[in-house]
Amino acid sequence: MGVSDTLKSRKATFLFSDKEVKEETIVDILDAARFAPNPTGIYEYEFIVVADKDTKKKVSEACLTPNIDSAPFIVVIACNPEKLESLFEKDEAGEMCIDNAAMVAEFIILYSSELGLSNASITNLNQAKMRDVLGLPGEYVVRWVIPLGYAAGGSKGYEQTPPKIGDIVHIDKF
Ligand SMILES: Cc1cc2nc3c(=O)[nH]c(=O)nc-3n(C[C@H](O)[C@H](O)[C@H](O)COP(=O)(O)O)c2cc1C
C-alpha cells in the first residue's frame, strides 16, 4: 500500500488476535521511528517494549484499557524532559516531550499499519502506576502507549468520520 492509502485505511484497534508478530518486526518499526522529525537533535524519548504477559496486563490496567494486553507487544514511549532543560524552561521542555512523542508515535502507527499490523494510541494513563510497573526512573514520563499486533475480528476502534475537506481548509484567511 502507498502512504496515502495507509493513512486513509488505518483504524485503531484495542483487541488483538494471538497471531504471532516477530520480534524483528518490532525492531524494524522502532528503528524506522527513530527518523521521526525532531526539533533539537536531543532525542529525549526511549522505548520500552513490553512482551511479558503479566507486565502487559499491568500496563493495560495503568492505561485503563482492559484489552490491550491481548497485543503481543505494547510499546511505551517514555520521555526525559530534563534532557531538554538546557534549552527550554521546565514547562516548555515538558510540552516539547509531548510534541516529539507524538511524532515518534505517528511513525510507529503509520509504519506498523503499512506492515499490516493494528495499533492504538493511549495517552490517558496512570503515570504513577506505569512508573512502578516499568521501573521508570523518576525524571521519565510516559507520553504514549501503543499496542501492536494483528486485530482480532471485529475489533476496530470507534467509527469516526473525518471532517470534510471543504469544512476545514481556508485559503489565505480564516
Ligand atoms: C493523541 C491520542 C490519544 C489517545 N488516547 C487514548 C486513551 O488514552 N485511551 C483510549 O482508549 N483511546 C485513546 N485514543 C483513541 C484511540 O487511539 C483511537 O485513535 C480512537 O479510538 C479513534 O480511532 P481511529 O484512530 O481509528 O480513528 C487516543 C487517540 C489519540 C489520537
Coordinates of all heavy atoms in Angstrom, one line a residue, residues 23-62:
E23 N 9.7 -10.6 16.7 CA 10.4 -9.5 17.4 C 11.1 -8.6 16.4 O 11.2 -7.4 16.6 CB 11.5 -10.2 18.2 CG 11.3 -9.9 19.7 CD 12.3 -10.7 20.5 OE1 13.6 -10.5 20.3 OE2 11.9 -11.6 21.2
E24 N 11.6 -9.2 15.3 CA 12.3 -8.4 14.3 C 11.4 -7.3 13.7 O 11.9 -6.2 13.3 CB 12.9 -9.3 13.1 CG 13.8 -10.4 13.5 CD 13.0 -11.7 13.7 OE1 12.8 -12.4 12.7 OE2 12.6 -11.9 14.8
T25 N 10.1 -7.6 13.6 CA 9.2 -6.7 13.0 C 9.1 -5.4 13.9 O 9.1 -4.3 13.5 CB 7.8 -7.3 12.8 OG1 8.0 -8.5 12.1 CG2 6.8 -6.4 12.2
I26 N 9.1 -5.7 15.2 CA 9.0 -4.6 16.2 C 10.3 -3.8 16.1 O 10.3 -2.5 16.1 CB 8.7 -5.1 17.6 CG1 7.4 -5.9 17.7 CG2 8.7 -4.0 18.6 CD1 6.2 -5.2 17.3
V27 N 11.4 -4.5 16.0 CA 12.7 -3.8 15.9 C 12.7 -2.9 14.7 O 13.2 -1.7 14.7 CB 13.9 -4.8 15.9 CG1 15.2 -4.1 15.7 CG2 13.9 -5.5 17.3
D28 N 12.2 -3.5 13.6 CA 12.2 -2.7 12.3 C 11.4 -1.5 12.5 O 11.7 -0.4 12.0 CB 11.6 -3.7 11.2 CG 11.6 -3.1 9.9 OD1 12.4 -2.2 9.5 OD2 10.7 -3.5 9.1
I29 N 10.2 -1.6 13.1 CA 9.3 -0.4 13.3 C 10.0 0.6 14.2 O 10.0 1.8 13.8 CB 8.0 -0.9 13.9 CG1 7.2 -1.8 12.9 CG2 7.1 0.3 14.4 CD1 6.0 -2.5 13.5
L30 N 10.6 0.2 15.3 CA 11.2 1.2 16.2 C 12.5 1.8 15.5 O 12.8 3.0 15.7 CB 11.5 0.6 17.5 CG 10.3 0.0 18.3 CD1 10.7 -0.5 19.6 CD2 9.2 1.1 18.4
D31 N 13.1 1.0 14.7 CA 14.3 1.5 14.0 C 13.9 2.7 13.1 O 14.6 3.7 13.0 CB 15.0 0.4 13.2 CG 16.3 0.8 12.6 OD1 17.1 1.3 13.3 OD2 16.4 0.6 11.4
A32 N 12.8 2.5 12.4 CA 12.3 3.5 11.5 C 11.8 4.7 12.2 O 12.0 5.9 11.8 CB 11.2 2.9 10.6
A33 N 11.2 4.5 13.4 CA 10.6 5.6 14.2 C 11.7 6.6 14.7 O 11.4 7.7 14.9 CB 9.8 5.0 15.4
R34 N 12.9 6.1 14.8 CA 14.0 7.0 15.2 C 14.2 8.2 14.2 O 14.8 9.2 14.5 CB 15.3 6.3 15.2 CG 15.4 5.1 16.2 CD 16.8 4.5 16.1 NE 17.1 3.9 14.8 CZ 18.2 4.2 14.1 NH1 19.1 5.0 14.6 NH2 18.4 3.6 12.9
F35 N 13.6 8.0 13.0 CA 13.8 9.0 12.0 C 12.7 10.0 12.0 O 12.6 10.9 11.1 CB 14.0 8.4 10.6 CG 15.3 7.6 10.5 CD1 15.3 6.3 10.9 CD2 16.4 8.2 10.0 CE1 16.5 5.6 10.8 CE2 17.6 7.5 9.9 CZ 17.7 6.2 10.3
A36 N 11.8 10.0 13.0 CA 10.7 11.0 13.1 C 11.4 12.3 13.3 O 12.4 12.5 13.9 CB 9.8 10.6 14.3
P37 N 10.7 13.4 12.7 CA 11.2 14.7 12.9 C 11.4 15.1 14.4 O 10.7 14.7 15.2 CB 10.1 15.6 12.3 CG 9.3 14.7 11.4 CD 9.4 13.3 12.0
N38 N 12.5 15.7 14.6 CA 12.9 16.1 16.0 C 13.5 17.5 16.0 O 14.4 17.7 15.2 CB 13.9 15.1 16.6 CG 14.2 15.4 18.0 OD1 15.0 16.2 18.3 ND2 13.5 14.7 18.9
P39 N 13.0 18.4 16.8 CA 13.4 19.8 16.7 C 14.8 20.1 17.3 O 15.4 21.2 17.0 CB 12.3 20.6 17.4 CG 11.8 19.6 18.4 CD 11.9 18.2 17.8
T40 N 15.3 19.3 18.1 CA 16.5 19.7 18.9 C 17.7 18.8 18.6 O 18.9 19.1 18.9 CB 16.3 19.6 20.4 OG1 15.9 18.2 20.7 CG2 15.2 20.5 20.8
G41 N 17.5 17.6 18.1 CA 18.6 16.6 18.0 C 19.0 16.0 19.3 O 20.0 15.3 19.4
I42 N 18.2 16.2 20.3 CA 18.5 15.7 21.7 C 17.9 14.3 21.9 O 18.4 13.5 22.6 CB 18.1 16.7 22.8 CG1 19.0 17.9 22.7 CG2 18.1 16.0 24.1 CD1 18.7 19.0 23.7
Y43 N 16.7 14.1 21.2 CA 16.1 12.7 21.3 C 15.9 12.3 22.8 O 16.6 11.4 23.2 CB 16.9 11.7 20.5 CG 17.1 12.1 19.1 CD1 18.3 12.6 18.6 CD2 16.0 12.0 18.2 CE1 18.4 13.1 17.3 CE2 16.2 12.4 16.8 CZ 17.4 12.9 16.4 OH 17.6 13.4 15.1
E44 N 15.0 12.9 23.4 CA 14.8 12.7 24.8 C 13.8 11.5 25.1 O 13.5 11.3 26.3 CB 14.2 14.0 25.5 CG 12.8 14.3 25.2 CD 12.6 14.9 23.7 OE1 13.6 15.1 23.0 OE2 11.4 15.1 23.4
Y45 N 13.4 10.8 24.1 CA 12.5 9.7 24.3 C 13.2 8.3 24.3 O 14.3 8.2 23.7 CB 11.4 9.7 23.2 CG 12.0 9.5 21.8 CD1 12.3 8.3 21.3 CD2 12.2 10.6 21.0 CE1 12.8 8.1 20.0 CE2 12.7 10.5 19.7 CZ 13.0 9.3 19.2 OH 13.6 9.1 18.0
E46 N 12.6 7.4 24.9 CA 13.1 6.0 24.8 C 11.9 5.1 24.7 O 10.8 5.5 25.1 CB 14.0 5.7 26.1 CG 15.3 6.5 26.1 CD 16.2 6.3 27.3 OE1 16.3 5.1 27.7 OE2 16.6 7.3 27.8
F47 N 12.1 3.9 24.2 CA 11.0 2.9 24.1 C 11.2 1.8 25.1 O 12.3 1.3 25.4 CB 11.1 2.2 22.7 CG 11.0 3.2 21.6 CD1 12.1 3.2 20.6 CD2 10.0 4.1 21.4 CE1 12.0 4.1 19.5 CE2 9.9 4.9 20.3 CZ 11.0 5.0 19.4
I48 N 10.1 1.4 25.7 CA 10.0 0.2 26.5 C 9.1 -0.8 25.7 O 7.9 -0.4 25.5 CB 9.5 0.4 27.9 CG1 10.4 1.4 28.6 CG2 9.5 -0.9 28.7 CD1 9.7 2.6 29.2
V49 N 9.6 -1.9 25.3 CA 8.8 -2.9 24.6 C 8.3 -3.9 25.6 O 9.2 -4.6 26.2 CB 9.6 -3.5 23.4 CG1 8.7 -4.6 22.7 CG2 10.1 -2.5 22.5
V50 N 7.1 -4.0 25.8 CA 6.5 -4.9 26.8 C 5.9 -6.2 26.1 O 5.0 -6.0 25.3 CB 5.4 -4.2 27.7 CG1 4.9 -5.2 28.7 CG2 5.9 -2.9 28.3
A51 N 6.5 -7.3 26.4 CA 6.1 -8.6 25.8 C 5.6 -9.6 26.9 O 4.9 -10.5 26.6 CB 7.2 -9.2 25.0
D52 N 6.1 -9.4 28.1 CA 5.8 -10.3 29.2 C 4.3 -10.2 29.6 O 3.7 -9.1 29.7 CB 6.6 -9.9 30.4 CG 6.2 -10.7 31.7 OD1 6.5 -11.9 31.7 OD2 5.6 -10.1 32.6
K53 N 3.6 -11.3 29.7 CA 2.1 -11.4 29.8 C 1.7 -10.6 31.0 O 0.8 -9.8 31.0 CB 1.8 -12.9 30.0 CG 0.3 -13.2 29.8 CD 0.1 -14.7 29.7 CE -1.3 -15.1 29.4 NZ -2.2 -15.0 30.5
D54 N 2.3 -10.8 32.2 CA 1.9 -10.2 33.4 C 2.1 -8.7 33.4 O 1.3 -7.9 33.8 CB 2.7 -10.8 34.5 CG 2.3 -10.4 35.9 OD1 1.0 -10.3 36.1 OD2 3.1 -10.0 36.7
T55 N 3.3 -8.3 32.8 CA 3.6 -6.8 32.7 C 2.6 -6.2 31.7 O 2.1 -5.0 32.0 CB 5.0 -6.6 32.2 OG1 5.9 -7.5 33.0 CG2 5.5 -5.2 32.4
K56 N 2.2 -6.9 30.6 CA 1.3 -6.3 29.7 C -0.1 -6.0 30.4 O -0.7 -5.0 30.2 CB 1.0 -7.2 28.5 CG 2.1 -7.2 27.4 CD 1.7 -7.9 26.2 CE 1.5 -9.3 26.4 NZ 1.2 -10.1 25.1
K57 N -0.4 -7.0 31.2 CA -1.7 -6.9 32.0 C -1.7 -5.6 32.9 O -2.6 -4.8 32.9 CB -1.9 -8.1 32.8 CG -3.2 -8.2 33.6 CD -4.1 -9.3 33.2 CE -5.5 -9.2 33.8 NZ -6.4 -8.3 33.0
K58 N -0.5 -5.4 33.5 CA -0.4 -4.3 34.4 C -0.4 -3.0 33.7 O -1.0 -2.0 34.1 CB 0.8 -4.4 35.3 CG 0.7 -5.5 36.4 CD 1.9 -5.7 37.2 CE 1.8 -6.8 38.2 NZ 3.0 -7.4 38.6
V59 N 0.3 -3.0 32.5 CA 0.3 -1.8 31.7 C -1.1 -1.5 31.2 O -1.5 -0.3 31.2 CB 1.3 -2.0 30.5 CG1 1.1 -0.9 29.4 CG2 2.8 -2.0 31.0
S60 N -1.8 -2.5 30.8 CA -3.1 -2.3 30.3 C -4.0 -1.7 31.4 O -4.8 -0.8 31.1 CB -3.6 -3.7 29.9 OG -5.0 -3.7 29.6
E61 N -3.8 -2.2 32.6 CA -4.6 -1.6 33.7 C -4.2 -0.1 34.0 O -5.1 0.7 34.2 CB -4.4 -2.4 35.0 CG -5.2 -3.7 35.0 CD -4.7 -4.8 36.0 OE1 -3.8 -4.5 36.8 OE2 -5.2 -5.9 35.9
A62 N -2.9 0.1 33.9 CA -2.5 1.5 34.1 C -3.0 2.4 33.0 O -3.1 3.7 33.2 CB -1.0 1.6 34.2

